[in-house]
Amino acid sequence: MLIRHDGVVHHPLGAGSYVYKTHLIQYMLSRIKKKEIIISIGAQPNSSPHIGTIIVFCLAFALGRTLSNRNPDLKISVLFEAVDTAPQEIFKINGITYQKSLRNQGKAEKYLIQFSELLSNLSRFSGIGFRIRRQEAFNRQPTVLKIIDHIIRHKDWVASILDPELGLLRVRIACPRCGLTDKKGIQNVVSDSSIKSYCPVHGWFEVKIRETGKLEFNTPLRNLVRSLVYLEDNRRPDVPHEWIRVTGSDYAGFYQEQLLYRCVSFLGYDVYDMPMIVYAPLVLDWSGAKLSKSIYVKGNAYSDLPSYLLGYDSLVREKGVEGLEKLYREVLCWVEEPYKLFRHYTVYYFMKIFEQTGHQGQVIPK
């Protein structure tokens, strides 16, 4: 298909772009109370980061750089929450869907090398430091046990919101012998002190709630738990930092309004203490759909697109680290001119960027 266009990029104002078209950073600085900021990003390390993930990561570092430029007294860093409990293999046994996680299969390490390299390069471009945290390390924080206990006490209501299909609390535990996990929690028995689950190979097993490092969550529940942990940090005066989150725009709107803010409010927390969320523009295919990593990984889709859009390894191989820097400069321009941030961009937009010999966006601050 030939996509015809005049090469002119329009940025029509609407919704958030009307309000924050020039004053996004000023607004964010006015809401920050502490001198240390951690910008949180997350991803499943199940493939080479594709351009959508790269854009989210670029935005985190560009945002950190811009906030730091406007207020040099702030100490800012990026934290990558590596979701290594995401599924590596899916099995259907006796009508029940089971999974084995990246962590259980030892498959996360291969791609975490690429994620680490991506983060290192963005840190070098921006001057903003970073660290990586695995799911188990996140879960072992004392605050997590308190939050999980609270959610379990209200599990029927929370499950009705987070899982409108089945009404189940999607907290998972893996068989200690083979790693099989009831993906939807169909056979899980959740009590105030433990979770029992059934392995079709080894039978029933149990994990105590206090063993938080062994717990796994589906995406909406993980989003709720993570947000409440950050909320607790934000409002506690003895915690030196506060949180800002950066994630893709596919998690904006109705998703957060219903699955996050409604639950946070019902559980008795003050939504005002929630971390600010900055949403990265989506990268869209020719039809207007989000460029999907999961479809690419499972179905080898997007055969018509340049490989540098589909994986970090291909990007640096074909365009060099300079190609990544070009993307970072583009995203930095969005942060400096926020009316460019409240919209989405097609794959053709980025292909056009890589065709250019120069770049008209924001110069990287030294």
Side-chain angles (χ1 to χ4, degrees), residues 196-251:
K196 294 179 181 178
S197 193
Y198 182 78
C199 171
V201 180
H202 300 105
W204 288 96
F205 60 98
E206 182 178 17
V207 168
K208 300 297 183 183
I209 299 296
R210 65 175 180 270
E211 300 177 88
T212 52
K214 297 180 179 180
L215 302 182
E216 303 175 11
F217 313 112
N218 79 332
T219 300
L221 182 57
R222 184 172 60 249
N223 182 45
L224 176 62
V225 173
R226 184 185 294 172
S227 298
L228 290 177
V229 169
Y230 294 167
L231 179 153
E232 290 276 13
D233 287 348
N234 281 3
R235 73 181 184 180
R236 285 175 52 185
D238 59 318
V239 175
H241 60 266
E242 63 181 280
W243 294 87
I244 293 174
R245 295 181 60 192
V246 174
T247 191
S249 291
D250 46 336
Y251 287 100

Side-chain angles (χ1 to χ4, degrees), residues 91-98 181-187 198:
F91 307 88
K92 197 84 167 182
I93 304 174
N94 298 327
I96 304 293
T97 302
Y98 294 88
T181 305
D182 185 341
K183 181 173 174 58
K184 295 184 178 181
I186 299 291
Q187 300 182 97
Y198 182 78

Side-chain angles (χ1 to χ4, degrees), residues 8-22:
V8 178
V9 178
H10 301 282
H11 300 282
L13 297 180
S17 62
Y18 271 120
V19 180
Y20 303 112
K21 59 181 178 291
T22 58

Side-chain angles (χ1 to χ4, degrees), residues 339-357:
Y339 63 89
K340 297 179 179 179
L341 191 62
F342 294 87
R343 50 155 296 176
H344 304 310
Y345 294 86
T346 69
V347 289
Y348 303 103
Y349 180 88
F350 293 103
M351 290 162 66
K352 195 71 175 176
I353 287 176
F354 283 114
E355 289 175 6
Q356 298 170 355
T357 56

Side-chain angles (χ1 to χ4, degrees), residues 237-280:
D238 59 318
V239 175
H241 60 266
E242 63 181 280
W243 294 87
I244 293 174
R245 295 181 60 192
V246 174
T247 191
S249 291
D250 46 336
Y251 287 100
F254 197 77
Y255 182 91
Q256 301 290 29
E257 291 166 7
Q258 298 302 311
L259 302 184
L260 180 58
Y261 293 110
R262 181 177 288 269
C263 283
V264 166
S265 180
F266 173 82
L267 291 170
Y269 292 89
D270 191 341
V271 174
Y272 184 80
D273 294 321
M274 294 283 289
M276 286 183 283
I277 305 176
V278 180
Y279 295 99

